[in-house]
Amino acid sequence: MLRNALIAAGVTTALLAAGPASAAEKKIIAVSIPAADHGWTAGVVYHANAAAKEINKAFPGIEVIVKTSPSANAQVSAIEDLSATRKLDALVILPHSSEELTTPVKTIKDKGSFITVVDRGLNDPKIQDLYVAGDNIAVGYNTAKFLVEKMGGKGNLVVLRGIPTVIDDERIKGFKDGIAGTDMKILDIQYANWNSDEAFKLMQDYLAKYPQIDAVWANDDDMLLGVLEAIKQSGRKEIKFALGGNGMKEIIEKVKAGDPVTPVETPYPPSMIKTAIYLTAAHFAGHAPVRGSLKLDAPLITKENAEEYYFPDSPF
């Protein structure tokens, strides 16, 4: 199975070295993704369109079509319409929801399409030929280990969850595993739905309820923005760290600048959609089958390596 970004880079290199395929053998790769309803999905749309533009220019024998959908029902309709009007050699899909998309994607699979699933898995993993995702457990675990090291294993924490999903559960599990066996205490942990405004209100509640908060973890950077604004408005000075996750460029900028409260970040890059599209194209143009699972690492982003994770032109 494909296990790290180095393998992905190698396959992408093979794709680029393969040269253009014949126009008479044009392969159609449909890309179905959520519409840009928050920062991370805006990044997904940005990187998907970038991949389509690059591959369509470099390979006349491959056509990448990107479709965005504002809801699960709209996404079902979009892929059904694509499948009805074009012969899809491959479908790259980041599902709105696993339950609603599993059967429609299986129908496309049964017609002979190569299926690449990104981030949110389907209910039946046998449908997918390729799976690309980030390491959510590592997002939580590596953040927790940083806090343990910097705070000497002691302190009061508050945590902001996203929405009730496997992704969120994995991040929380990683974080709790990372502080296990220490004297670090989670005072409160509630959902803020990966939304900056909701996170702002929840952090205000935390600040009103708890007189001593040593660190905050919002498991998504959209929420972290709300947290930071709430802390700023409160004037509270005892909070040593406020950390997030996902690699939003505004947070990377803080890391690059050596911000004392947000000195590190963990990546869950929306650019994984671009990796998935390139790998799918490599299946057809790279003269080698590409199947299996690729889990992207989530190392700590620090001032020393932040530039590697910084995409200034991306909306996220």
Tab-separated table of all heavy atoms in Angstrom, residues 171-234:
chain	number	residue	atom	x	y	z
A	171	ARG	N	-9.173	12.842	15.740
A	171	ARG	CA	-8.334	13.926	16.249
A	171	ARG	C	-8.388	13.996	17.778
A	171	ARG	O	-7.362	14.174	18.433
A	171	ARG	CB	-8.779	15.259	15.638
A	171	ARG	CG	-8.488	15.353	14.163
A	171	ARG	CD	-8.754	16.721	13.592
A	171	ARG	NE	-8.480	16.716	12.151
A	171	ARG	CZ	-8.443	17.784	11.381
A	171	ARG	NH1	-8.667	18.978	11.907
A	171	ARG	NH2	-8.186	17.688	10.096
A	172	ILE	N	-9.587	13.841	18.322
A	172	ILE	CA	-9.736	13.884	19.771
A	172	ILE	C	-9.050	12.690	20.423
A	172	ILE	O	-8.380	12.829	21.461
A	172	ILE	CB	-11.224	13.932	20.157
A	172	ILE	CG1	-11.867	15.226	19.630
A	172	ILE	CG2	-11.396	13.820	21.668
A	172	ILE	CD1	-11.209	16.502	20.111
A	173	LYS	N	-9.173	11.526	19.808
A	173	LYS	CA	-8.492	10.341	20.349
A	173	LYS	C	-6.987	10.556	20.381
A	173	LYS	O	-6.310	10.258	21.379
A	173	LYS	CB	-8.799	9.092	19.510
A	173	LYS	CG	-8.108	7.833	20.026
A	173	LYS	CD	-8.339	6.648	19.110
A	173	LYS	CE	-7.755	5.371	19.714
A	173	LYS	NZ	-6.327	5.484	20.078
A	174	GLY	N	-6.424	11.081	19.281
A	174	GLY	CA	-4.994	11.333	19.233
A	174	GLY	C	-4.557	12.307	20.306
A	174	GLY	O	-3.518	12.118	20.951
A	175	PHE	N	-5.349	13.361	20.512
A	175	PHE	CA	-4.998	14.367	21.515
A	175	PHE	C	-5.037	13.771	22.922
A	175	PHE	O	-4.113	13.972	23.721
A	175	PHE	CB	-5.954	15.553	21.421
A	175	PHE	CG	-5.545	16.734	22.250
A	175	PHE	CD1	-4.588	17.626	21.783
A	175	PHE	CD2	-6.108	16.958	23.493
A	175	PHE	CE1	-4.207	18.719	22.544
A	175	PHE	CE2	-5.729	18.037	24.263
A	175	PHE	CZ	-4.773	18.924	23.789
A	176	LYS	N	-6.099	13.035	23.223
A	176	LYS	CA	-6.218	12.438	24.559
A	176	LYS	C	-5.112	11.411	24.797
A	176	LYS	O	-4.563	11.325	25.906
A	176	LYS	CB	-7.593	11.792	24.720
A	176	LYS	CG	-8.715	12.805	24.861
A	176	LYS	CD	-10.063	12.118	25.081
A	176	LYS	CE	-11.166	13.129	25.353
A	176	LYS	NZ	-12.491	12.492	25.546
A	177	ASP	N	-4.765	10.646	23.765
A	177	ASP	CA	-3.652	9.700	23.902
A	177	ASP	C	-2.350	10.436	24.174
A	177	ASP	O	-1.494	9.966	24.930
A	177	ASP	CB	-3.512	8.851	22.631
A	177	ASP	CG	-4.622	7.815	22.487
A	177	ASP	OD1	-5.370	7.604	23.461
A	177	ASP	OD2	-4.737	7.224	21.390
A	178	GLY	N	-2.193	11.610	23.550
A	178	GLY	CA	-0.957	12.371	23.695
A	178	GLY	C	-0.748	12.948	25.081
A	178	GLY	O	0.391	13.147	25.503
A	179	ILE	N	-1.843	13.240	25.796
A	179	ILE	CA	-1.691	13.791	27.154
A	179	ILE	C	-1.886	12.727	28.239
A	179	ILE	O	-1.779	13.034	29.430
A	179	ILE	CB	-2.665	14.960	27.406
A	179	ILE	CG1	-4.115	14.485	27.383
A	179	ILE	CG2	-2.420	16.088	26.416
A	179	ILE	CD1	-5.111	15.558	27.838
A	180	ALA	N	-2.155	11.501	27.827
A	180	ALA	CA	-2.383	10.428	28.801
A	180	ALA	C	-1.157	10.241	29.683
A	180	ALA	O	-0.007	10.312	29.213
A	180	ALA	CB	-2.704	9.121	28.078
A	181	GLY	N	-1.383	10.036	30.969
A	181	GLY	CA	-0.283	9.815	31.907
A	181	GLY	C	0.374	11.076	32.401
A	181	GLY	O	1.374	11.018	33.126
A	182	THR	N	-0.160	12.236	32.024
A	182	THR	CA	0.389	13.512	32.492
A	182	THR	C	-0.590	14.148	33.485
A	182	THR	O	-1.675	13.622	33.744
A	182	THR	CB	0.616	14.480	31.322
A	182	THR	OG1	-0.657	14.977	30.862
A	182	THR	CG2	1.335	13.795	30.175
A	183	ASP	N	-0.210	15.300	34.000
A	183	ASP	CA	-1.089	16.050	34.889
A	183	ASP	C	-1.817	17.157	34.137
A	183	ASP	O	-2.279	18.137	34.745
A	183	ASP	CB	-0.283	16.649	36.042
A	183	ASP	CG	0.232	15.578	37.002
A	183	ASP	OD1	-0.489	14.591	37.218
A	183	ASP	OD2	1.360	15.732	37.506
A	184	MET	N	-1.920	17.013	32.820
A	184	MET	CA	-2.667	17.983	32.035
A	184	MET	C	-4.148	17.605	32.072
A	184	MET	O	-4.519	16.460	31.821
A	184	MET	CB	-2.138	18.044	30.604
A	184	MET	CG	-0.656	18.390	30.551
A	184	MET	SD	-0.024	18.650	28.881
A	184	MET	CE	-0.624	20.292	28.552
A	185	LYS	N	-4.995	18.592	32.383
A	185	LYS	CA	-6.417	18.343	32.601
A	185	LYS	C	-7.260	19.094	31.575
A	185	LYS	O	-7.096	20.293	31.384
A	185	LYS	CB	-6.808	18.793	34.017
A	185	LYS	CG	-8.281	18.594	34.348
A	185	LYS	CD	-8.589	19.113	35.741
A	185	LYS	CE	-10.073	18.943	36.083
A	185	LYS	NZ	-10.383	19.500	37.425
A	186	ILE	N	-8.155	18.357	30.896
A	186	ILE	CA	-9.109	18.987	29.991
A	186	ILE	C	-10.300	19.470	30.814
A	186	ILE	O	-11.088	18.669	31.322
A	186	ILE	CB	-9.566	18.023	28.885
A	186	ILE	CG1	-8.380	17.617	28.000
A	186	ILE	CG2	-10.649	18.679	28.026
A	186	ILE	CD1	-8.722	16.625	26.906
A	187	LEU	N	-10.414	20.791	30.963
A	187	LEU	CA	-11.505	21.368	31.746
A	187	LEU	C	-12.845	21.238	31.042
A	187	LEU	O	-13.885	21.044	31.683
A	187	LEU	CB	-11.230	22.854	32.014
A	187	LEU	CG	-9.981	23.200	32.813
A	187	LEU	CD1	-9.810	24.722	32.866
A	187	LEU	CD2	-10.052	22.626	34.220
A	188	ASP	N	-12.817	21.362	29.719
A	188	ASP	CA	-14.074	21.340	28.962
A	188	ASP	C	-13.766	20.981	27.510
A	188	ASP	O	-12.682	21.300	26.988
A	188	ASP	CB	-14.761	22.704	29.017
A	188	ASP	CG	-16.279	22.597	29.033
A	188	ASP	OD1	-16.810	21.625	28.446
A	188	ASP	OD2	-16.928	23.460	29.642
A	189	ILE	N	-14.722	20.324	26.865
A	189	ILE	CA	-14.551	19.931	25.470
A	189	ILE	C	-15.931	19.907	24.821
A	189	ILE	O	-16.789	19.116	25.201
A	189	ILE	CB	-13.826	18.567	25.359
A	189	ILE	CG1	-13.697	18.122	23.908
A	189	ILE	CG2	-14.481	17.510	26.224
A	189	ILE	CD1	-12.781	16.934	23.728
A	190	GLN	N	-16.150	20.826	23.873
A	190	GLN	CA	-17.462	20.960	23.236
A	190	GLN	C	-17.290	21.192	21.734
A	190	GLN	O	-16.219	21.569	21.261
A	190	GLN	CB	-18.238	22.121	23.857
A	190	GLN	CG	-18.574	21.940	25.329
A	190	GLN	CD	-19.416	23.077	25.856
A	190	GLN	OE1	-20.323	23.581	25.179
A	190	GLN	NE2	-19.122	23.514	27.082
A	191	TYR	N	-18.390	20.974	21.008
A	191	TYR	CA	-18.390	21.151	19.559
A	191	TYR	C	-18.574	22.622	19.187
A	191	TYR	O	-19.405	23.317	19.763
A	191	TYR	CB	-19.515	20.341	18.910
A	191	TYR	CG	-19.321	18.848	18.975
A	191	TYR	CD1	-19.973	18.083	19.935
A	191	TYR	CD2	-18.492	18.191	18.062
A	191	TYR	CE1	-19.813	16.705	19.988
A	191	TYR	CE2	-18.318	16.823	18.110
A	191	TYR	CZ	-18.977	16.082	19.071
A	191	TYR	OH	-18.803	14.732	19.122
A	192	ALA	N	-17.804	23.069	18.190
A	192	ALA	CA	-17.995	24.393	17.599
A	192	ALA	C	-18.143	24.292	16.086
A	192	ALA	O	-18.090	25.291	15.368
A	192	ALA	CB	-16.851	25.333	17.958
A	193	ASN	N	-18.309	23.074	15.586
A	193	ASN	CA	-18.716	22.809	14.197
A	193	ASN	C	-17.778	23.379	13.137
A	193	ASN	O	-18.207	23.770	12.058
A	193	ASN	CB	-20.144	23.318	13.976
A	193	ASN	CG	-21.129	22.613	14.885
A	193	ASN	OD1	-21.180	21.396	14.936
A	193	ASN	ND2	-21.889	23.383	15.645
A	194	TRP	N	-16.464	23.439	13.471
A	194	TRP	CA	-15.468	23.928	12.513
A	194	TRP	C	-15.862	25.299	11.968
A	194	TRP	O	-15.665	25.600	10.786
A	194	TRP	CB	-15.246	22.911	11.387
A	194	TRP	CG	-14.553	21.668	11.857
A	194	TRP	CD1	-13.611	21.566	12.828
A	194	TRP	CD2	-14.749	20.328	11.373
A	194	TRP	NE1	-13.200	20.267	12.992
A	194	TRP	CE2	-13.886	19.476	12.114
A	194	TRP	CE3	-15.566	19.771	10.392
A	194	TRP	CZ2	-13.810	18.107	11.903
A	194	TRP	CZ3	-15.497	18.403	10.189
A	194	TRP	CH2	-14.629	17.587	10.932
A	195	ASN	N	-16.405	26.120	12.851
A	195	ASN	CA	-16.919	27.425	12.444
A	195	ASN	C	-16.298	28.503	13.329
A	195	ASN	O	-16.333	28.410	14.558
A	195	ASN	CB	-18.451	27.437	12.577
A	195	ASN	CG	-19.066	28.759	12.178
A	195	ASN	OD1	-19.094	29.693	12.952
A	195	ASN	ND2	-19.560	28.818	10.950
A	196	SER	N	-15.771	29.536	12.720
A	196	SER	CA	-15.063	30.569	13.466
A	196	SER	C	-15.979	31.321	14.427
A	196	SER	O	-15.612	31.594	15.572
A	196	SER	CB	-14.413	31.552	12.482
A	196	SER	OG	-13.685	32.537	13.170
A	197	ASP	N	-17.183	31.673	13.967
A	197	ASP	CA	-18.107	32.416	14.823
A	197	ASP	C	-18.550	31.581	16.022
A	197	ASP	O	-18.625	32.092	17.152
A	197	ASP	CB	-19.326	32.863	14.019
A	197	ASP	CG	-18.991	33.934	12.988
A	197	ASP	OD1	-17.970	34.626	13.171
A	197	ASP	OD2	-19.743	34.081	12.004
A	198	GLU	N	-18.860	30.321	15.784
A	198	GLU	CA	-19.279	29.461	16.889
A	198	GLU	C	-18.130	29.238	17.872
A	198	GLU	O	-18.329	29.164	19.085
A	198	GLU	CB	-19.799	28.131	16.359
A	198	GLU	CG	-21.111	28.242	15.610
A	198	GLU	CD	-21.687	26.891	15.231
A	198	GLU	OE1	-21.660	25.977	16.068
A	198	GLU	OE2	-22.155	26.764	14.089
A	199	ALA	N	-16.908	29.138	17.334
A	199	ALA	CA	-15.740	28.968	18.194
A	199	ALA	C	-15.504	30.214	19.044
A	199	ALA	O	-15.121	30.120	20.214
A	199	ALA	CB	-14.510	28.659	17.355
A	200	PHE	N	-15.727	31.381	18.458
A	200	PHE	CA	-15.591	32.639	19.201
A	200	PHE	C	-16.539	32.650	20.407
A	200	PHE	O	-16.139	32.966	21.533
A	200	PHE	CB	-15.888	33.813	18.271
A	200	PHE	CG	-15.930	35.149	18.946
A	200	PHE	CD1	-14.760	35.810	19.297
A	200	PHE	CD2	-17.145	35.758	19.229
A	200	PHE	CE1	-14.793	37.044	19.925
A	200	PHE	CE2	-17.194	36.988	19.851
A	200	PHE	CZ	-16.006	37.635	20.202
A	201	LYS	N	-17.792	32.267	20.171
A	201	LYS	CA	-18.784	32.255	21.250
A	201	LYS	C	-18.446	31.198	22.302
A	201	LYS	O	-18.569	31.446	23.513
A	201	LYS	CB	-20.172	32.005	20.669
A	201	LYS	CG	-20.670	33.135	19.774
A	201	LYS	CD	-21.993	32.787	19.116
A	201	LYS	CE	-22.452	33.887	18.165
A	201	LYS	NZ	-23.704	33.516	17.450
A	202	LEU	N	-18.021	30.022	21.847
A	202	LEU	CA	-17.680	28.964	22.795
A	202	LEU	C	-16.466	29.358	23.627
A	202	LEU	O	-16.433	29.129	24.849
A	202	LEU	CB	-17.410	27.650	22.053
A	202	LEU	CG	-16.999	26.450	22.913
A	202	LEU	CD1	-18.019	26.176	24.016
A	202	LEU	CD2	-16.802	25.210	22.035
A	203	MET	N	-15.473	29.980	23.012
A	203	MET	CA	-14.295	30.396	23.761
A	203	MET	C	-14.657	31.488	24.761
A	203	MET	O	-14.118	31.521	25.887
A	203	MET	CB	-13.202	30.887	22.807
A	203	MET	CG	-11.856	31.103	23.505
A	203	MET	SD	-11.188	29.565	24.166
A	203	MET	CE	-10.199	30.190	25.522
A	204	GLN	N	-15.577	32.370	24.412
A	204	GLN	CA	-16.055	33.358	25.375
A	204	GLN	C	-16.674	32.671	26.595
A	204	GLN	O	-16.456	33.081	27.737
A	204	GLN	CB	-17.077	34.287	24.718
A	204	GLN	CG	-16.482	35.337	23.803
A	204	GLN	CD	-17.527	36.301	23.289
A	204	GLN	OE1	-18.636	35.909	22.915
A	204	GLN	NE2	-17.191	37.585	23.277
A	205	ASP	N	-17.434	31.601	26.338
A	205	ASP	CA	-18.036	30.841	27.435
A	205	ASP	C	-16.964	30.205	28.314
A	205	ASP	O	-17.055	30.236	29.554
A	205	ASP	CB	-18.960	29.756	26.890
A	205	ASP	CG	-20.213	30.315	26.241
A	205	ASP	OD1	-20.536	31.495	26.491
A	205	ASP	OD2	-20.865	29.573	25.477
A	206	TYR	N	-15.961	29.614	27.657
A	206	TYR	CA	-14.865	28.997	28.417
A	206	TYR	C	-14.171	30.041	29.295
A	206	TYR	O	-13.857	29.798	30.467
A	206	TYR	CB	-13.841	28.381	27.464
A	206	TYR	CG	-14.227	27.076	26.811
A	206	TYR	CD1	-13.498	26.601	25.716
A	206	TYR	CD2	-15.276	26.303	27.273
A	206	TYR	CE1	-13.813	25.399	25.106
A	206	TYR	CE2	-15.604	25.096	26.676
A	206	TYR	CZ	-14.870	24.644	25.589
A	206	TYR	OH	-15.180	23.446	25.000
A	207	LEU	N	-13.914	31.215	28.723
A	207	LEU	CA	-13.203	32.257	29.457
A	207	LEU	C	-14.016	32.756	30.643
A	207	LEU	O	-13.457	33.084	31.698
A	207	LEU	CB	-12.879	33.421	28.511
A	207	LEU	CG	-11.801	33.132	27.464
A	207	LEU	CD1	-11.835	34.177	26.353
A	207	LEU	CD2	-10.418	33.077	28.098
A	208	ALA	N	-15.328	32.813	30.474
A	208	ALA	CA	-16.189	33.250	31.572
A	208	ALA	C	-16.286	32.190	32.668
A	208	ALA	O	-16.407	32.514	33.852
A	208	ALA	CB	-17.578	33.587	31.040
A	209	LYS	N	-16.197	30.937	32.269
A	209	LYS	CA	-16.418	29.827	33.208
A	209	LYS	C	-15.170	29.444	33.976
A	209	LYS	O	-15.234	29.039	35.141
A	209	LYS	CB	-16.947	28.624	32.420
A	209	LYS	CG	-17.391	27.443	33.266
A	209	LYS	CD	-18.001	26.368	32.377
A	209	LYS	CE	-18.486	25.183	33.190
A	209	LYS	NZ	-19.069	24.122	32.318
A	210	TYR	N	-13.991	29.566	33.331
A	210	TYR	CA	-12.756	29.060	33.936
A	210	TYR	C	-11.747	30.191	34.142
A	210	TYR	O	-11.299	30.813	33.170
A	210	TYR	CB	-12.147	27.966	33.050
A	210	TYR	CG	-13.093	26.816	32.815
A	210	TYR	CD1	-13.717	26.648	31.576
A	210	TYR	CD2	-13.392	25.915	33.833
A	210	TYR	CE1	-14.602	25.599	31.359
A	210	TYR	CE2	-14.277	24.861	33.627
A	210	TYR	CZ	-14.883	24.716	32.386
A	210	TYR	OH	-15.775	23.678	32.191
A	211	PRO	N	-11.376	30.446	35.401
A	211	PRO	CA	-10.455	31.563	35.686
A	211	PRO	C	-9.005	31.272	35.311
A	211	PRO	O	-8.216	32.214	35.175
A	211	PRO	CB	-10.596	31.748	37.196
A	211	PRO	CG	-11.030	30.411	37.708
A	211	PRO	CD	-11.892	29.824	36.642
A	212	GLN	N	-8.648	30.001	35.153
A	212	GLN	CA	-7.272	29.656	34.800
A	212	GLN	C	-7.270	28.658	33.645
A	212	GLN	O	-7.605	27.500	33.805
A	212	GLN	CB	-6.533	29.056	35.993
A	212	GLN	CG	-5.090	28.631	35.711
A	212	GLN	CD	-4.168	29.810	35.408
A	212	GLN	OE1	-4.330	30.881	35.996
A	212	GLN	NE2	-3.213	29.631	34.515
A	213	ILE	N	-6.910	29.148	32.468
A	213	ILE	CA	-6.761	28.301	31.274
A	213	ILE	C	-5.331	28.456	30.796
A	213	ILE	O	-4.884	29.560	30.490
A	213	ILE	CB	-7.745	28.711	30.166
A	213	ILE	CG1	-9.197	28.547	30.633
A	213	ILE	CG2	-7.505	27.892	28.904
A	213	ILE	CD1	-10.226	29.098	29.660
A	214	ASP	N	-4.615	27.361	30.731
A	214	ASP	CA	-3.201	27.431	30.341
A	214	ASP	C	-2.985	27.250	28.839
A	214	ASP	O	-2.018	27.760	28.286
A	214	ASP	CB	-2.400	26.371	31.111
A	214	ASP	CG	-2.436	26.624	32.610
A	214	ASP	OD1	-2.000	27.708	33.027
A	214	ASP	OD2	-2.917	25.746	33.356
A	215	ALA	N	-3.885	26.508	28.188
A	215	ALA	CA	-3.728	26.284	26.755
A	215	ALA	C	-5.072	25.895	26.151
A	215	ALA	O	-5.958	25.371	26.833
A	215	ALA	CB	-2.694	25.197	26.478
A	216	VAL	N	-5.200	26.198	24.859
A	216	VAL	CA	-6.420	25.900	24.110
A	216	VAL	C	-6.040	25.098	22.869
A	216	VAL	O	-5.063	25.426	22.183
A	216	VAL	CB	-7.141	27.190	23.657
A	216	VAL	CG1	-8.474	26.855	22.993
A	216	VAL	CG2	-7.314	28.149	24.811
A	217	TRP	N	-6.832	24.051	22.597
A	217	TRP	CA	-6.680	23.373	21.306
A	217	TRP	C	-8.010	23.400	20.585
A	217	TRP	O	-9.015	22.855	21.050
A	217	TRP	CB	-6.208	21.925	21.463
A	217	TRP	CG	-6.043	21.250	20.127
A	217	TRP	CD1	-5.377	21.744	19.044
A	217	TRP	CD2	-6.545	19.975	19.716
A	217	TRP	NE1	-5.418	20.866	17.984
A	217	TRP	CE2	-6.144	19.768	18.375
A	217	TRP	CE3	-7.304	18.991	20.358
A	217	TRP	CZ2	-6.468	18.612	17.667
A	217	TRP	CZ3	-7.624	17.845	19.646
A	217	TRP	CH2	-7.207	17.651	18.321
A	218	ALA	N	-8.027	24.054	19.419
A	218	ALA	CA	-9.159	23.997	18.492
A	218	ALA	C	-8.723	23.078	17.362
A	218	ALA	O	-7.726	23.361	16.699
A	218	ALA	CB	-9.475	25.393	17.960
A	219	ASN	N	-9.447	21.983	17.145
A	219	ASN	CA	-8.883	20.988	16.229
A	219	ASN	C	-9.068	21.323	14.751
A	219	ASN	O	-9.007	20.450	13.887
A	219	ASN	CB	-9.390	19.579	16.565
A	219	ASN	CG	-10.811	19.282	16.126
A	219	ASN	OD1	-11.437	20.062	15.419
A	219	ASN	ND2	-11.317	18.142	16.569
A	220	ASP	N	-9.241	22.619	14.479
A	220	ASP	CA	-9.355	23.106	13.101
A	220	ASP	C	-9.033	24.597	13.116
A	220	ASP	O	-9.387	25.317	14.053
A	220	ASP	CB	-10.775	22.858	12.587
A	220	ASP	CG	-11.065	23.601	11.291
A	220	ASP	OD1	-10.759	23.055	10.228
A	220	ASP	OD2	-11.602	24.731	11.368
A	221	ASP	N	-8.370	25.071	12.083
A	221	ASP	CA	-7.895	26.454	12.078
A	221	ASP	C	-9.001	27.492	11.932
A	221	ASP	O	-8.851	28.622	12.401
A	221	ASP	CB	-6.859	26.646	10.964
A	221	ASP	CG	-5.539	25.971	11.287
A	221	ASP	OD1	-5.240	25.824	12.486
A	221	ASP	OD2	-4.829	25.592	10.344
A	222	ASP	N	-10.103	27.158	11.252
A	222	ASP	CA	-11.222	28.092	11.211
A	222	ASP	C	-11.683	28.408	12.633
A	222	ASP	O	-11.958	29.566	12.969
A	222	ASP	CB	-12.390	27.507	10.401
A	222	ASP	CG	-12.162	27.600	8.900
A	222	ASP	OD1	-12.069	28.731	8.392
A	222	ASP	OD2	-12.051	26.556	8.237
A	223	MET	N	-11.773	27.380	13.475
A	223	MET	CA	-12.156	27.599	14.871
A	223	MET	C	-11.079	28.367	15.622
A	223	MET	O	-11.377	29.214	16.476
A	223	MET	CB	-12.436	26.263	15.564
A	223	MET	CG	-13.643	25.532	15.016
A	223	MET	SD	-14.179	24.140	16.039
A	223	MET	CE	-12.742	23.064	15.978
A	224	LEU	N	-9.817	28.092	15.314
A	224	LEU	CA	-8.728	28.777	16.015
A	224	LEU	C	-8.809	30.287	15.827
A	224	LEU	O	-8.516	31.053	16.753
A	224	LEU	CB	-7.373	28.248	15.553
A	224	LEU	CG	-6.149	28.896	16.202
A	224	LEU	CD1	-6.166	28.722	17.717
A	224	LEU	CD2	-4.861	28.317	15.615
A	225	LEU	N	-9.210	30.749	14.650
A	225	LEU	CA	-9.340	32.186	14.427
A	225	LEU	C	-10.337	32.795	15.399
A	225	LEU	O	-10.108	33.881	15.952
A	225	LEU	CB	-9.774	32.458	12.983
A	225	LEU	CG	-8.772	32.094	11.878
A	225	LEU	CD1	-9.363	32.429	10.510
A	225	LEU	CD2	-7.445	32.806	12.067
A	226	GLY	N	-11.462	32.104	15.616
A	226	GLY	CA	-12.442	32.590	16.582
A	226	GLY	C	-11.908	32.569	17.996
A	226	GLY	O	-12.165	33.496	18.785
A	227	VAL	N	-11.158	31.528	18.332
A	227	VAL	CA	-10.554	31.413	19.657
A	227	VAL	C	-9.604	32.576	19.908
A	227	VAL	O	-9.639	33.222	20.969
A	227	VAL	CB	-9.805	30.070	19.790
A	227	VAL	CG1	-8.883	30.070	21.011
A	227	VAL	CG2	-10.795	28.922	19.885
A	228	LEU	N	-8.738	32.847	18.958
A	228	LEU	CA	-7.746	33.914	19.129
A	228	LEU	C	-8.409	35.273	19.298
A	228	LEU	O	-7.959	36.111	20.093
A	228	LEU	CB	-6.783	33.928	17.942
A	228	LEU	CG	-5.853	32.716	17.829
A	228	LEU	CD1	-5.106	32.734	16.499
A	228	LEU	CD2	-4.858	32.677	18.989
A	229	GLU	N	-9.491	35.514	18.569
A	229	GLU	CA	-10.200	36.790	18.702
A	229	GLU	C	-10.853	36.906	20.076
A	229	GLU	O	-10.827	37.981	20.698
A	229	GLU	CB	-11.251	36.931	17.599
A	229	GLU	CG	-12.006	38.250	17.614
A	229	GLU	CD	-11.102	39.470	17.442
A	229	GLU	OE1	-10.024	39.344	16.812
A	229	GLU	OE2	-11.481	40.549	17.944
A	230	ALA	N	-11.420	35.806	20.562
A	230	ALA	CA	-12.047	35.832	21.887
A	230	ALA	C	-11.008	36.106	22.978
A	230	ALA	O	-11.256	36.880	23.916
A	230	ALA	CB	-12.768	34.516	22.151
A	231	ILE	N	-9.845	35.470	22.850
A	231	ILE	CA	-8.772	35.703	23.828
A	231	ILE	C	-8.308	37.157	23.779
A	231	ILE	O	-8.120	37.809	24.808
A	231	ILE	CB	-7.591	34.743	23.567
A	231	ILE	CG1	-8.000	33.291	23.817
A	231	ILE	CG2	-6.391	35.115	24.445
A	231	ILE	CD1	-6.959	32.278	23.407
A	232	LYS	N	-8.158	37.667	22.560
A	232	LYS	CA	-7.714	39.052	22.389
A	232	LYS	C	-8.683	40.017	23.049
A	232	LYS	O	-8.271	40.938	23.780
A	232	LYS	CB	-7.575	39.364	20.894
A	232	LYS	CG	-7.157	40.786	20.591
A	232	LYS	CD	-7.092	41.014	19.085
A	232	LYS	CE	-6.759	42.465	18.761
A	232	LYS	NZ	-6.727	42.687	17.275
A	233	GLN	N	-9.974	39.812	22.815
A	233	GLN	CA	-10.974	40.723	23.378
A	233	GLN	C	-11.078	40.605	24.892
A	233	GLN	O	-11.419	41.575	25.570
A	233	GLN	CB	-12.334	40.466	22.731
A	233	GLN	CG	-12.417	40.872	21.271
A	233	GLN	CD	-13.823	40.805	20.715
A	233	GLN	OE1	-14.799	40.786	21.457
A	233	GLN	NE2	-13.926	40.771	19.390
A	234	SER	N	-10.771	39.438	25.426
A	234	SER	CA	-10.880	39.221	26.870
A	234	SER	C	-9.762	39.890	27.655
A	234	SER	O	-9.911	40.202	28.840
A	234	SER	CB	-10.875	37.731	27.184
A	234	SER	OG	-9.565	37.177	27.048
